Amino acid sequence: MATVRIAGFNDLNTSDADGIAFSIFFQGCRRRCLGCHNPELQSFDGGEETDTDEIIQRIRANQRFYDAVVFVGGEPMDQPDALKVLLASVKSIGLSTWLYTGHNIFSISDDIIDLCDVIIAGEYRQELHTGGFPASSNQIIVDRRKEKVA
């Protein structure tokens, strides 16, 4: 059993992955990017400590509706142990895993990369804002389903 500090969930996300996704918003981020999309998720004092088993049960209860689970924040990589537990559990269910992180792709451990189908990596830079996907032009998309870097 592991716990994770969560800001909330989006049960029917259609904008952050292919198809319909369940999104987990991690609470806390050390990066503090200027122009952050979710500045209210930066504090590690907010949100609620949640058992990872409860989150997986919630996903399983409605898994027939989901194509993917999205891990976003805040910064999911700031809680790596809980992130790994959740990623592995979601993979065992058979859903696609999408990780949004401000970390450089080369600083992400192999054990986390191996559990992700798609990774959007790189800090948000307001001066490079795209108005689309990804949010700033320095960010990269690693789509392991296609085994390529876009």
Side-chain angles (χ1 to χ4, degrees):
M1 174 178 91
T3 61
V4 59
R5 184 155 294 278
I6 296 296
F9 306 99
N10 182 344
D11 292 297
L12 292 172
N13 182 342
T14 59
S15 61
D16 292 325
D18 293 340
I20 298 173
F22 179 90
S23 295
I24 303 169
F25 289 86
F26 282 61
Q27 180 71 44
C29 180
R30 292 181 183 92
R31 306 192 73 77
R32 311 272 195 232
C33 299
L34 182 64
C36 174
H37 183 69
N38 296 323
E40 67 280 5
L41 304 186
Q42 291 178 352
S43 171
F44 286 92
D45 295 327
E48 184 176 311
E49 198 74 21
T50 306
D51 187 293
T52 55
D53 290 339
E54 290 176 27
I55 297 169
I56 295 305
Q57 288 173 0
R58 185 173 176 168
I59 294 167
R60 282 187 189 277
N62 295 301
Q63 74 185 63
R64 67 187 176 278
F65 299 113
Y66 301 131
D67 300 299
V69 175
V70 174
F71 300 85
V72 68
E75 175 55 68
M77 295 288 297
D78 283 346
Q79 299 182 68
D81 294 336
L83 176 61
K84 286 183 232 180
V85 167
L86 289 167
L87 283 166
S89 296
V90 169
K91 292 299 280 185
S92 74
I93 294 170
L95 297 172
S96 178
T97 54
W98 290 57
L99 172 64
Y100 285 75
T101 179
H103 287 261
N104 179 298
I105 191 66
F106 299 110
S107 70
I108 301 172
S109 64
D110 288 343
D111 55 345
I112 289 177
I113 289 173
D114 290 344
L115 292 168
C116 295
D117 293 304
V118 179
I119 302 171
I120 297 81
E123 72 177 8
Y124 173 74
R125 300 203 32 216
Q126 191 169 16
E127 70 276 13
L128 300 176
H129 180 74
T130 64
F133 180 76
S136 62
S137 61
N138 62 298
Q139 295 172 317
I140 65 165
I141 302 165
V142 178
D143 188 339
R144 299 191 66 238
R145 301 168 305 172
K146 300 174 185 173
E147 298 185 4
K148 72 173 188 176
V149 176

